[in-house]
Amino acid sequence: MSEVVNVAEKFGKNVFNETVMRERLPKSVFKKLKKTIEDGAELDPSIADVVAHAMKDWAIERGATHYTHWFQPLTGITAEKHDSFISAPTSEGKVIMEFSGKELVKGEPDASSFPSGGLRATFEARGYTAWDCTSPAFLREDAIGVTLCIPTAFCSYTGEALDKKTPLLRSMEAVDEQALRILRLFGNTTAKRVTPSVGPEQEYFLVDHDKYLQRKDLIYAGRTLFGAMPPKGQELEDHYFGAIRERVAAYMKEVNEELWKLGVPAKTQHNEVAPAQHELAPIFEQANVAVDHNQLVMETLKKVAGRHGLNCLLHEKPFAGVNGSGKHNNWSLTSDDGINLLNPGETPHENIQFLLVLSCILKAVDKHADLLRESAADVGNDHRLGANEAPPAIISVFIGEQLEDVVDQLCSTGEATRSKAGGTLKTGVRTLPDLFKDATDRNRTSPFAFTGNKFEFRMVGSSDSISSPNVVLNTITAEAFKEAADILEKAEDFDTAVHDLIKKQLAAHRRIIFNGNGYADAWVEEAEKRGLPNLKSMIDAIPALATDAAVKMFEEFKVFTKAELESRVEIEYEAYTKAINIEARTMIDMAGKQLIPAVVKYTSILADSLGKIKTACPDADTSVQEELLIEVSAYLSDMKVALSALVEITDKCSAIKENKEQAAAYHDEVVPVMAALRAPADKLEMIVDKEIWPLPSYGDLIFEV
């Protein structure tokens, strides 16, 4: 029996949270810091030394020897440089443990060695990390010891954002300011802040570590580049929500405990649809804290896996033919006086504030569908979006039957007089209670679905940072709120003006609403008729970042400058090129050094066997062996031709100098040849003796965990 875990005792144990600050900081300092955290007030630099001293003492008492500014560069993962607390030795040969306010507030990592998209030249190395006091510092325990991690933003010497955190914080300020204007229009004078809240669900795969090490594609690319489907996949749907295996359960238990100590409110865990696939979901948190915590979730999933002889795969499509992994980004807006702006209430048709907010969000998503699609674009997601388990690459909004009925009423008659009620669900079993039924069903095929009091953006890839989609959601919503507030604040008759604006916005952007099956081919045709963009790949989506409309909006709300947007375009093209180049060269290496030699060996065995049979029994029927040898040799020939083609096209594309042109060439020319090399290899895997085939099969990887 496993040990009893006291969650309440463990939770936040390694976090410099409000409870710790209240205990360790002077009252005046605590109040000033809390005002910055809760009200968005400017940080008072005079308190930095006091906070740093208290933070250091707390960390050292817990065994910390080093501190680090923990930040999120444009690599999509986190970065850190560790410094110990020791200062210069005293004359007695001892050391003093020090940590100043200056060290807390500002760090200086090398800015030239991170992606900058041309914002920084190689010789321009200076960059700064700045303390984000709204996301609590925490202690991380691992093989290196105990380290105090201070969440920070990262910018260049000239002030450009070189990270995922800075634009997020800017976008949060933008939507806060404009959302407060909307609340004030409806007489709310108590709210001081409106904060985006986010709850990201995290999907992942687990494979045995020893088998992982036998697959160069998993090591270098994070996904299998070769692999035939086993006799059984996910078609029986028996893994979804099934009983969790003991080995995986032990892993999940440790993951939860690690996360709870870090203050991450990990709540849900279960088996996902594909064999060896699982999910972890937290409770909603303030957007920037949720982004930080999701990075910790991904780091913890990978770190703990090693302790259990496992490897955690966060790639969006590690195995062809079974479900890929996403990260549903649940997003809402909540005021500090407890108002959820996305809560329709019992009678949505009478909730004018909600209807205005809904119409603004529909307008924002329709107007900037390309940006929202781009925010979920990464190399791995190209394999997932549009497949059977993920929403298509077309942005649409599911609002459900109840709200669609209200929209229909407003658009057709000018007013809404009713809302569909949920009713009661009768199970037909006397011993089971009747259940309250929601007014509408859910739609798992929608990329942007309203789910009661939040929107669920289901496009985000499992390995991606959730910062980018939330930056876009916050900013496009801020723009729509501003445009609405600009009109309504000048209105002589507010009730009439808000009614007319809601109707106008719903009618103008109704095309974005789709409650049907997003997986159906008919929807692709219908979306085209509606004029909705269908950006099928990352390469198609990247230009959306720097359109005139995007630059105008982001600059107006001071979220990105034009230079910052253009730099991100360059970084994303480069990231795509590098990822596909690694995959192509990994395939070349595996095919040339492992697969083709194994098939040659197998054909030699077949030929030798055929010769021996003919010698021993000249009249024997050897047609089966001959056909098998011919079939294997044909596939081997196809592999060799495709391998040569892949070498040639990869070398050609790697020599292209212009960033966008090179990325497009890898997408249009290299990727199809990779598929051509994989096809005969996967057929050969189903023929060649398992003892000779050099790679663990899909069956080995996803069923032997």
Side-chain angles (χ1 to χ4, degrees):
M1 182 177 175
S2 60
E3 63 173 299
V4 176
V5 178
N6 187 328
V7 179
E9 190 177 275
K10 277 186 181 288
F11 192 83
K13 178 181 176 183
N14 286 351
V15 183
F16 194 73
N17 53 29
E18 184 175 324
T19 301
V20 177
M21 290 190 291
R22 191 188 298 274
E23 291 173 354
R24 291 177 175 267
L25 296 176
K27 283 186 179 179
S28 60
V29 172
F30 173 72
K31 284 182 179 179
K32 287 181 180 179
L33 184 56
K34 189 175 180 184
K35 188 171 182 63
T36 297
I37 294 170
E38 294 188 350
D39 299 341
E42 192 169 329
L43 179 67
D44 184 347
S46 68
I47 69 172
D49 276 329
V50 179
V51 175
H53 182 76
M55 196 181 284
K56 177 208 68 176
D57 286 349
W58 169 78
I60 289 174
E61 287 171 18
R62 304 295 308 280
T65 57
H66 290 70
Y67 69 91
T68 182
H69 276 200
W70 185 78
F71 60 103
Q72 299 170 38
L74 295 173
T75 55
I77 56 176
T78 60
E80 55 199 62
K81 179 185 75 170
H82 297 192
D83 288 293
S84 72
F85 289 113
I86 65 171
S87 62
T90 65
S91 57
E92 292 86 12
K94 297 183 179 295
V95 293
I96 300 172
M97 305 292 269
E98 291 184 341
F99 183 51
S100 68
K102 181 181 178 182
E103 291 169 317
L104 168 63
V105 170
K106 187 181 84 171
E108 190 182 332
D110 186 340
S112 67
S113 298
F114 291 105
S116 71
L119 287 176
R120 303 293 287 160
T122 303
F123 67 89
E124 295 174 316
R126 197 180 296 277
Y128 296 117
T129 48
W131 175 35
D132 173 20
C133 65
T134 62
S135 185
F138 57 92
L139 298 176
R140 191 174 57 204
E141 303 169 325
D142 49 30
I144 207 169
V146 181
T147 306
L148 172 64
C149 298
I150 303 157
T152 56
F154 178 46
C155 62
S156 73
Y157 181 72
T158 47
E160 295 96 351
L162 295 176
D163 67 339
K164 300 278 189 178
K165 171 65 74 71
T166 305
L168 178 67
L169 294 173
R170 294 170 180 171
S171 74
M172 291 172 67
E173 290 186 359
V175 77
D176 169 37
E177 180 182 348
Q178 302 306 324
L180 281 175
R181 292 177 68 190
I182 298 296
L183 290 181
R184 297 289 185 259
L185 287 167
F186 289 90
N188 184 325
T189 58
T190 57
K192 296 178 182 177
R193 291 191 77 189
V194 174
T195 305
S197 297
V198 177
E201 305 165 26
Q202 179 71 56
E203 295 175 345
Y204 60 95
F205 279 83
L206 292 174
V207 297
D208 183 83
H209 180 66
D210 290 339
K211 294 183 176 70
Y212 169 89
L213 292 178
Q214 296 174 55
R215 302 267 331 198
K216 291 182 181 179
D217 46 7
L218 287 180
I219 293 171
Y220 298 138
R223 74 179 182 101
T224 53
L225 301 171
F226 298 100
M229 278 295 293
K232 177 188 175 185
Q234 63 189 53
E235 61 272 20
L236 294 180
E237 299 166 335
D238 53 342
H239 190 258
Y240 191 48
F241 281 21
I244 299 170
R245 299 176 189 175
E246 285 286 305
R247 186 181 185 187
V248 175
Y251 163 78
M252 287 182 171
K253 178 178 181 290
E254 186 174 354
V255 166
N256 283 331
E257 291 181 28
E258 289 284 323
L259 292 175
W260 290 334
K261 286 191 291 185
L262 293 168
V264 180
K267 183 173 178 65
T268 303
Q269 61 188 27
H270 62 84
N271 289 347
E272 254 299 332
V273 174
Q277 187 186 32
H278 312 279
E279 181 179 300
L280 182 154
I283 298 171
F284 277 67
E285 297 180 283
Q286 180 176 300
N288 67 312
V289 177
V291 169
D292 287 355
H293 280 176
N294 185 248
Q295 291 289 348
L296 286 176
V297 166
M298 291 191 286
E299 290 175 12
T300 302
L301 287 170
K302 294 183 80 68
K303 177 178 70 175
V304 173
R307 300 173 187 167
H308 293 261
L310 299 167
N311 265 84
C312 174
L313 305 179
L314 294 175
H315 194 283
E316 286 73 21
K317 198 74 171 178
F319 303 103
V322 299
N323 271 26
S325 295
K327 181 149 46 190
H328 299 177
N329 187 88
N330 296 281
W331 175 86
S332 65
L333 294 168
T334 309
S335 67
D336 58 350
D337 61 349
I339 305 298
N340 182 344
L341 276 66
L342 295 179
N343 186 356
E346 296 294 322
T347 53
H349 68 285
E350 297 175 339
N351 190 339
I352 305 303
Q353 179 179 293
F354 167 75
L355 290 175
L356 176 62
V357 169
L358 176 66
S359 70
C360 285
I361 292 174
L362 291 174
K363 173 185 176 180
V365 173
D366 187 21
K367 183 178 177 181
H368 296 290
D370 58 342
L371 263 182
L372 198 54
R373 164 67 181 94
E374 197 287 327
S375 74
D378 67 37
V379 186
N381 235 3
D382 276 6
H383 300 282
R384 172 179 165 264
L385 293 181
N388 287 335
E389 81 283 357
I394 304 164
I395 294 287
S396 65
V397 181
F398 168 82
I399 59 173
E401 295 174 15
Q402 183 187 54
L403 292 182
E404 187 173 35
D405 179 55
V406 172
V407 170
D408 286 343
Q409 293 176 60
L410 285 167
C411 291
S412 59
T413 67
E415 60 178 342
T417 59
R418 67 186 185 279
S419 295
K420 290 184 177 180
T424 303
L425 177 68
K426 296 185 180 295
T427 61
V429 180
R430 287 195 302 272
T431 56
L432 295 178
D434 293 336
L435 304 174
F436 172 75
K437 184 168 70 171
D438 290 307
T440 188
D441 203 348
R442 295 183 66 189
N443 187 328
R444 67 183 297 272
T445 71
S446 174
F448 197 68
F450 184 73
T451 54
N453 59 2
K454 57 184 171 62
F455 278 100
E456 182 181 16
F457 185 38
R458 302 178 68 252
M459 272 189 170
V460 188
S462 51
S463 67
D464 213 0
S465 165
I466 59 169
S467 175
S468 296
N470 287 296
V471 168
V472 171
L473 283 171
N474 294 342
T475 312
I476 65 176
T477 302
E479 180 189 55
F481 282 172
K482 180 183 183 298
E483 291 170 353
D486 286 347
I487 294 170
L488 296 175
E489 286 172 353
K490 299 172 185 174
E492 294 182 7
D493 182 348
F494 174 76
D495 291 341
T496 300
V498 72
H499 176 275
D500 291 347
L501 181 61
I502 291 169
K503 180 184 175 184
K504 179 182 178 182
Q505 293 190 156
L506 291 176
H509 301 284
R510 193 176 178 183
R511 67 173 186 165
I512 201 72
I513 299 173
F514 179 65
N515 288 344
N517 181 6
Y519 294 166
D521 292 338
W523 167 232
V524 178
E525 297 176 12
E526 171 64 22
E528 187 175 358
K529 291 177 185 176
R530 295 188 187 190
L532 301 179
N534 184 3
L535 305 174
K536 297 180 181 179
S537 73
M538 180 179 176
I539 295 301
D540 297 328
I542 291 172
L545 261 180
T547 62
D548 291 343
V551 172
K552 180 178 179 295
M553 178 189 66
F554 282 126
E555 288 197 329
E556 178 181 0
F557 292 98
K558 298 179 173 58
V559 174
F560 287 115
T561 64
K562 183 178 181 180
E564 288 171 338
L565 288 169
E566 290 174 344
S567 75
R568 280 155 176 77
V569 168
E570 291 298 307
I571 288 167
E572 294 203 12
Y573 279 132
E574 190 174 287
Y576 184 89
T577 296
K578 288 178 177 178
I580 301 300
N581 185 63
I582 289 169
E583 289 189 353
R585 296 196 181 281
T586 300
M587 289 190 82
I588 291 167
D589 186 76
M590 293 175 70
K593 295 179 180 177
Q594 292 181 286
L595 303 188
I596 288 177
V599 179
V600 168
K601 180 179 180 181
Y602 183 63
T603 55
S604 297
I605 293 172
L606 280 176
D608 185 53
S609 172
L610 183 61
K612 288 179 179 177
I613 293 172
K614 285 188 172 182
T615 299
C617 306
D619 297 328
D621 181 4
T622 58
S623 59
V624 173
Q625 292 92 328
E626 290 172 1
E627 288 174 8
L628 185 58
L629 183 57
I630 291 169
E631 182 182 15
V632 171
S633 297
Y635 286 138
L636 180 60
S637 176
D638 291 344
M639 262 192 87
K640 186 65 178 71
V641 170
L643 175 60
S644 298
L646 185 57
V647 171
E648 182 180 346
I649 196 66
T650 303
D651 288 343
K652 172 193 163 188
C653 291
S654 65
I656 297 173
K657 300 299 181 185
E658 201 277 321
N659 209 354
K660 180 179 179 180
E661 182 186 344
Q662 187 180 41
Y666 269 91
H667 176 268
D668 297 339
E669 300 180 48
V670 175
V671 170
V673 181
M674 288 169 61
L677 175 57
R678 176 171 185 160
D682 289 357
K683 289 187 173 74
L684 284 165
E685 183 183 346
M686 301 300 293
I687 301 172
V688 175
D689 188 333
K690 183 175 174 59
E691 297 300 317
I692 296 173
W693 194 255
L695 307 177
S697 69
Y698 271 23
D700 298 333
L701 289 165
I702 64 179
F703 287 106
E704 297 180 12
V705 182

